[in-house]
Amino acid sequence: MKINDLIIYNGPNIYSHKPCIMAKIDIGKYCNIPTCDIPNFNNLLLEYIPTLKEHKCSEGYRGGFVDRLYEGTFLAHVFEHVCIEIQNILGYDISFGKARQTEEEHIYRIIFEFENKIVAEEVLYLAMDLINDLCRGYKNIKFQEKINKLRKMAISQNLGPSTQAIVSEAKLRNIPIIHIEGSLLQLGYGCFGKRLQATITENTGCIPVDIACDKKITKELLTMAGIPVPYGYVSDNLEDILNYTKRIGYPVVIKPNHGNQGKGVSLNLTDKDHISTAFKIAKEFCDQVVVEKYIQGNHYRILVVDGEYIACAQRIAAHVVGNGKNNIEELIRLENQNPLRGEEHEKPLTKLKIDPVMELLLKKNNMDLKMIPAKGEVVFLRENDNLSTGGIALDVTDKVHPQNIEMAINAANVIGLDIAGIDITTVDISSPMTMEGGAVIEVNAAPGIRMHHYPTQGKQRNVARKILDSLFPKGQPCTIPIISITGTNGKTTTSRMLGKILKEEGLKVGMTTTGGIFIDQKCIMKGDTTGALSAQSVLMNKKVEAAIFETARGGIIKKGLGYNLADVGIVTNISEDHLGLDGINTLEQLAHVKSLVVEAIKDRGFAVLNADDPYCIKMVKNIRARIIYFSHQENQLIIGEHTRAGGRAVYIKNNYIYIFNGREEIKLMSIKEIPATLNGLCECNIKNSLAAIAGAYGLGIKPEVIARGLKQFKADPIDNPGRFNIYNIKDFKVVIDYGHNIQGYREVISTLKKMSHNRLIGVIGVPGDRSETSTVKIGQLCGESFHHVIIKEDKEKRTLKKGVTSKFLKNGCIIGGMSKDSIEIELCESLALEKAIRLAKANDIVVVFFEDYEGIIETLKKYGEGFSPTPSPKSLPYGTGYLPSHNIFL
């Protein structure tokens, strides 16, 4: 068994609306061998993973999967369950998975949900190794060792408790989350997005963080503000530290000048030897070492968010309680079995670790690890009280004296932190610390909030909620309007039309298309950017006030969606294209892929569907959102039923576009008022306009704004480059278009035939991954429609060898009735266009279905005189008004 392919989906995808992995697994010779026929496989599997007995499987009852094993199921099914259960063992709440056979009987797609993609990928390989070893009959598999190793990786890769608490709260509020790297996240989208790492947010200034990290500067600022702090001194020299200790007297504290989580901190030191040892420990974390007066009392952490007191916890240092039987080392082992304790930040409490700092404290107290404490005797293992070193927390939020609260708020303000953890040592937090000899010990720039969410005693405090309140105040959105457009044809034009409309609304638009990523009309990245990563790039841009995503089939299959839910999803149409690729062989399968765009819609959002397309109509059964239909046909049946039921729709009557808002009909504009429709000649751009109108209306844009936007949208190289752009060359015209499938060719040819012309000359080609049948059909259509054809090939051959695509197209042209004398083959696209231009006569129209837009433009520019990308109305040989470029499809 081996893994042939692996795709990690971080968001909604064709298999699930949750993040999941899809792996293509080659089962090899075991493809038709059930588990009951593999010697001892089932017994060994359950020996290594006994918790598989809990799986219900399709049987619907506990133990259902085990029954399937012994009845005989296939290894792909086992693989799915093992991947899920290993994640369960690691502490992830995972249940979704499936196994599906592909066209090749020995190849399966294994799909399973994940929470941590790095860990999930390792789980996949561990599951494969285990199943392979069991099939070979291996008995001494070190599976548990591998699980333990993976568990350590999971702990290091998982979000820390502070970040996880914020993420959990964000999910409750439906705030979208982008996981950038490690614990660095973006909450929200576009101009409303906020980035944070643990409890440091983008509102946290760099200088305040630097100040908080420098204990010396922090104390100086707090002292200037009248806030009590312990006397102290900073040096990298032990003698200096010892001399200062003589001045302030014992006991003292030694700690690194830059540090966190209590690392390298030694408290209550009373002699030179202990100071020398503590100095060496502190030096391991920072070259500069702090010595300061030890403050007697209890240790408290006050949390301040945006100048508001949120919570307070009393922290008690790591300790064990004697039972009169076990020594200290054994008591530590027993305490670490507490289910609340885990590695690092894995659980509410951290496991106790034996290290030099612990041994120094025991030595100072005339103890060692082998000593047996009396029953009930408390043995402290740390002097610092951090949870990260094994301490516990007691919630005392309701007991803090108002003066102490004001002192903590003032400390946060003095340092300049939006979120701050103020460490205070005083005898009793319910009394003013100035009366108790207390002091502010530290101000923390990235305070952990685990102690407040999961105190050992007392009330849990939802600090994450307060942090999110500070990032997203009441009434402030957390996301921007999102429109996602898919379909076989029309995606690019519809996207650009919507961009024009939203610009008219006054929004800065981020848009992904086959031409690149655009932010406020400026291209920041060229190329086909219709996938998930491009969408995330837009959503992470702080300028963007609305997002429009052209969402292509390939991007959906390879990466899923780059967003969680859209406000509006649009499917323009479903027709033949890309069939035979990526396991998509039928129009039904293609429709299933594209339907994801209208399934991943907010509850109060809209799915925009083409009422004239039967495949779009079939999508309705899986859509939760409200529906807006559009149709270019008058008296369309689906539209009629929908509007009578109070649904929304966009349609045409007597060459006027109407919006039905659920109650009444709104007359929007004439189709001839939209320049891109070429005075109503270009039917495909009429359809694209209807889709754009429906999408904009679903977003809440007023009809008059929609109309103004479309009245400015031209089929020219500025508004719609590469889609039916018309150029005047001497006394004939050249049309360039990106049509690359049968329906795209039909739409272009239909418009060409409506234009006044002498002859139609086609420079034709299709991508090299199309089927022979599809390519021949396009050739046949061209043979029926053009007077002369020059066949070219794309530079990117994809799956076919040089000359194969042109051969298929030529055969199609001949089937279409074109004579061989009217067919030329010139594989180079620019040379093919030059041939067509030399061949053209007065009033001819040359159309080129391009691959390389910029290359075509450079070729046209060679002809200099007479070159005009935007012909004036007078230059047109028919009375249709302004005729700019024409954008037809992605």
Side-chain angles (χ1 to χ4, degrees):
M1 184 186 299
K2 62 181 180 179
I3 299 170
N4 286 350
D5 191 19
L6 175 67
I7 298 177
I8 298 175
Y9 295 104
N10 293 311
N13 55 82
I14 56 176
Y15 304 107
S16 170
H17 283 228
K18 297 178 180 180
C20 67
I21 279 181
M22 189 288 293
K24 276 190 179 179
I25 308 296
D26 187 342
I27 305 296
K29 65 181 182 179
Y30 289 97
C31 65
N32 292 316
I33 302 176
T35 51
C36 58
D37 291 343
I38 302 174
N40 211 24
F41 179 90
N42 295 335
N43 293 334
L44 287 173
L45 176 65
L46 295 174
E47 179 182 324
Y48 285 109
I49 313 181
T51 46
L52 283 171
K53 296 173 183 177
E54 302 296 322
H55 286 216
K56 296 179 180 179
C57 198
S58 58
E59 305 302 312
Y61 55 83
R62 180 180 176 273
F65 175 66
V66 173
D67 287 349
R68 292 285 304 276
L69 277 175
Y70 285 103
E71 290 169 3
T73 188
F74 292 113
L75 289 184
H77 182 210
V78 175
F79 202 120
E80 168 209 336
H81 278 268
V82 170
C83 287
I84 291 171
E85 186 53 32
I86 291 176
Q87 291 186 89
N88 292 160
I89 291 170
L90 296 174
Y92 299 107
D93 185 14
I94 298 298
S95 59
F96 171 78
K98 62 173 69 174
R100 296 291 182 267
Q101 195 172 31
T102 66
E103 297 84 359
E104 301 174 83
E105 68 171 4
H106 59 97
I107 304 293
Y108 279 79
R109 288 188 180 90
I110 310 296
I111 301 102
F112 61 91
E113 181 188 355
F114 69 81
E115 287 184 12
N116 186 311
K117 63 182 178 182
I118 296 174
V119 174
E121 188 171 351
E122 293 300 319
V123 165
L124 181 72
Y125 286 97
L126 177 56
M128 182 184 67
D129 289 344
L130 175 64
I131 294 172
N132 278 335
D133 288 346
L134 294 179
C135 288
R136 297 183 186 113
Y138 295 168
K139 294 182 180 179
N140 297 318
I141 302 170
K142 296 181 179 179
F143 182 69
Q144 192 56 49
E145 287 184 20
K146 295 177 181 178
I147 286 288
N148 292 338
K149 183 179 179 181
L150 196 52
R151 181 177 281 110
K152 289 181 180 179
M153 172 190 277
I155 292 168
S156 67
Q157 292 292 335
N158 290 342
L159 295 175
S162 297
T163 309
Q164 186 57 58
I166 293 169
V167 165
S168 298
E169 181 65 23
K171 288 179 178 179
L172 289 175
R173 299 186 184 200
N174 294 319
I175 297 174
I177 301 164
I178 297 176
H179 191 164
I180 300 172
E181 180 68 34
S183 60
L184 179 60
L185 309 174
Q186 177 172 307
L187 305 182
Y189 288 154
C191 61
F192 298 117
K194 299 289 185 180
R195 291 176 192 168
L196 74 151
Q197 191 163 31
T199 55
I200 291 183
T201 77
E202 64 178 47
N203 298 336
T204 308
C206 291
I207 291 178
V209 171
D210 286 345
I211 291 171
C213 289
D214 190 307
K215 294 175 175 57
K216 179 176 179 292
I217 297 175
T218 298
K219 289 170 69 173
E220 289 175 356
L221 289 175
L222 294 178
T223 300
M224 291 170 62
I227 298 171
V229 298
Y231 296 115
Y233 179 73
V234 178
S235 177
D236 61 356
N237 183 275
L238 177 59
E239 288 302 316
D240 290 344
I241 295 293
L242 290 171
N243 288 334
Y244 188 80
T245 301
K246 293 176 183 178
R247 188 184 309 172
I248 62 175
Y250 292 109
V252 296
V253 174
I254 297 290
K255 57 187 177 183
N257 190 42
H258 292 83
N260 56 23
Q261 298 181 343
K263 295 172 183 175
V265 177
S266 300
L267 305 179
N268 200 15
L269 303 174
T270 56
D271 61 49
K272 180 178 177 181
D273 289 341
H274 289 154
I275 289 175
S276 298
T277 303
F279 182 83
K280 292 177 183 177
I281 293 171
K283 272 277 196 177
E284 293 177 8
F285 297 92
C286 179
D287 191 52
Q288 294 289 315
V289 175
V290 175
V291 57
E292 64 186 23
K293 188 68 178 176
Y294 177 69
I295 304 297
Q296 299 286 345
N298 295 313
H299 306 296
Y300 301 92
R301 164 67 63 82
I302 290 180
L303 190 80
V304 175
V305 177
D306 272 355
E308 179 185 354
Y309 167 63
I310 303 300
C312 180
Q314 179 182 350
R315 303 190 298 179
I316 299 175
H319 62 277
V320 290
V321 180
N323 58 15
K325 300 176 182 178
N326 298 99
N327 63 35
I328 293 174
E329 188 172 6
E330 292 167 343
L331 290 171
I332 289 172
R333 268 201 303 271
L334 289 172
E335 175 58 26
N336 281 340
Q337 292 174 18
N338 181 347
L340 294 177
R341 290 194 181 274
E343 298 293 336
E344 299 180 7
H345 297 291
E346 177 190 14
K347 293 183 179 180
L349 298 175
T350 301
K351 287 186 175 182
L352 305 174
K353 295 282 195 327
I354 297 172
D355 63 9
V357 174
M358 180 187 291
E359 291 175 322
L360 173 63
L361 176 60
L362 292 173
K363 180 180 179 182
K364 187 172 68 173
N365 293 329
N366 298 315
M367 298 180 178
D368 60 39
L369 292 168
K370 301 303 179 183
M371 174 187 165
I372 300 175
K375 186 174 183 180
E377 180 182 357
V378 177
V379 178
F380 284 97
L381 306 172
R382 299 278 174 179
E383 288 177 307
N384 76 68
D385 43 48
N386 295 72
L387 267 67
S388 57
T389 55
I392 64 172
L394 315 178
D395 177 66
V396 294
T397 301
D398 298 328
K399 298 178 181 180
V400 183
H401 193 279
Q403 287 187 20
N404 295 337
I405 291 174
E406 287 303 315
M407 196 77 72
I409 292 172
N410 191 21
N413 289 336
V414 167
I415 303 303
L417 293 170
D418 59 327
I419 300 173
I422 315 299
D423 289 343
I424 292 174
T425 298
T426 187
V427 174
D428 185 358
I429 198 68
S430 63
S431 299
M433 66 178 179
T434 51
M435 296 177 62
E436 301 279 355
V440 172
I441 306 301
E442 289 186 5
V443 178
N444 297 275
I449 60 176
R450 176 171 53 155
M451 69 187 77
H452 305 297
H453 278 260
Y454 310 105
T456 308
Q457 294 179 26
K459 184 178 178 181
Q460 293 182 333
R461 307 288 174 170
N462 192 340
V463 173
R465 179 190 301 158
K466 295 294 185 179
I467 292 174
L468 286 180
D469 287 344
S470 73
L471 294 174
F472 302 100
K474 189 175 182 179
Q476 177 179 308
C478 62
T479 185
I480 56 176
I482 296 174
I483 304 179
S484 184
I485 304 101
T486 193
T488 302
N489 293 316
K491 297 185 295 296
T492 303
T493 298
T494 302
S495 298
R496 291 168 174 168
M497 286 178 168
L498 281 163
K500 198 76 161 180
I501 293 168
L502 296 190
K503 179 179 180 294
E504 186 65 22
E505 177 70 7
L507 297 172
K508 292 180 180 177
V509 177
M511 182 164 64
T512 64
T513 70
T514 50
I517 300 175
F518 294 82
I519 305 295
D520 197 20
Q521 298 185 294
K522 294 180 181 178
C523 183
I524 65 167
M525 181 184 293
K526 290 184 177 181
D528 187 342
T529 59
T530 55
L533 295 179
S534 301
Q536 287 201 345
S537 172
V538 168
L539 295 174
M540 292 175 67
N541 192 299
K542 291 285 190 176
K543 292 182 180 179
V544 175
E545 298 171 342
I548 299 170
F549 298 137
E550 180 180 341
T551 306
R553 172 208 64 92
I556 295 174
I557 291 172
K558 292 171 184 175
K559 287 292 182 181
L561 301 181
Y563 56 89
N564 187 19
L565 297 172
D567 296 273
V568 176
I570 301 173
V571 182
T572 57
N573 47 65
I574 302 293
S575 63
E576 183 181 334
D577 198 14
H578 300 286
L579 296 184
L581 303 176
D582 302 310
I584 307 302
N585 301 310
T586 67
L587 288 174
E588 287 78 9
Q589 291 173 328
L590 182 62
H592 170 70
V593 170
K594 293 179 179 290
S595 68
L596 178 63
V597 166
V598 283
E599 290 176 16
I601 302 292
K602 296 174 184 175
D603 289 339
R604 299 299 298 166
F606 285 96
V608 174
L609 298 174
N610 186 342
D612 302 321
D613 191 304
Y615 294 100
C616 288
I617 301 303
K618 291 177 182 177
M619 295 179 186
V620 173
K621 64 180 182 296
N622 293 323
I623 295 174
R624 297 178 306 168
R626 296 170 291 176
I627 307 291
I628 301 178
Y629 282 117
F630 69 90
S631 172
H632 74 289
Q633 300 178 19
E634 294 194 16
N635 302 315
Q636 213 270 355
L637 180 62
I638 298 293
I639 295 283
E641 293 177 353
H642 188 61
T643 53
R644 282 193 294 272
R648 294 167 175 81
V650 177
Y651 47 87
I652 292 174
K653 287 197 309 184
N654 300 320
N655 288 328
Y656 275 86
I657 298 172
Y658 288 82
I659 298 173
F660 189 81
N661 65 8
R663 299 178 304 277
E664 61 182 359
E665 200 173 61
I666 302 170
K667 188 176 183 180
L668 185 69
M669 63 195 307
S670 167
I671 59 174
K672 296 183 180 182
E673 292 181 88
I674 304 172
T677 69
L678 310 183
N679 207 35
L681 289 181
C682 186
E683 190 172 282
C684 64
N685 271 353
I686 295 173
K687 297 173 185 175
N688 294 334
S689 299
L690 296 174
I693 291 166
Y697 191 71
L699 207 59
I701 307 299
K702 293 179 180 178
E704 56 268 28
V705 176
I706 297 173
R708 284 202 307 269
L710 286 180
K711 285 177 182 179
Q712 299 174 52
F713 189 85
K714 304 176 180 66
D716 63 16
I718 296 173
D719 284 342
N720 216 9
R723 273 44 174 193
F724 213 101
N725 299 154
I726 301 175
Y727 294 84
N728 287 326
I729 304 292
K730 300 179 181 177
D731 55 358
F732 59 89
K733 300 185 186 306
V734 174
V735 174
I736 66 173
D737 194 272
Y738 188 56
H740 55 279
N741 56 51
I742 184 68
Q743 188 58 31
Y745 268 75
R746 283 195 188 106
E747 297 280 10
V748 171
I749 290 169
S750 172
T751 303
L752 289 172
K753 288 181 175 179
K754 296 174 186 176
M755 297 167 59
S756 174
H757 62 271
N758 176 28
R759 296 182 304 164
L760 296 179
I761 300 172
V763 179
I764 67 172
V766 295
D769 56 4
R770 302 307 194 260
S771 68
E772 178 179 0
T773 301
S774 172
T775 304
V776 169
K777 282 182 182 177
I778 290 173
Q780 181 178 351
L781 176 64
C782 293
E784 295 167 351
S785 306
F786 293 123
H787 298 88
H788 194 93
V789 160
I790 301 172
I791 300 171
K792 52 89 177 181
E793 286 189 352
D794 289 356
K795 290 180 182 177
E796 177 54 59
K797 302 302 179 189
R798 304 194 187 188
T799 58
L800 296 181
K801 293 182 180 179
K802 183 177 179 179
V804 175
T805 299
S806 55
K807 176 184 175 182
F808 293 159
L809 285 170
K810 182 177 180 180
N811 290 343
C813 288
I814 293 171
I815 293 171
M818 182 172 280
S819 69
K820 292 183 180 179
D821 293 340
S822 298
I823 304 171
E824 296 183 57
I825 295 179
E826 171 53 68
L827 299 186
C828 175
E829 185 172 87
S830 58
L831 294 179
L833 175 57
E834 289 187 12
K835 277 190 175 184
I837 289 173
R838 289 195 295 270
L839 184 68
K841 300 177 181 178
N843 296 324
D844 282 353
I845 299 177
V846 174
V847 60
V848 55
F849 296 91
F850 69 87
E851 175 199 25
D852 178 9
Y853 175 74
E854 292 182 354
I856 289 295
I857 296 302
E858 289 303 312
T859 300
L860 290 177
K861 285 180 179 178
K862 289 181 182 179
Y863 290 84
E865 184 180 354
F867 173 79
S868 172
T870 52
S872 65
K874 291 182 180 179
S875 71
L876 299 178
Y878 50 89
T880 59
Y882 179 74
L883 180 59
S885 66
H886 162 66
N887 185 351
I888 244 184
F889 320 123
L890 151 59

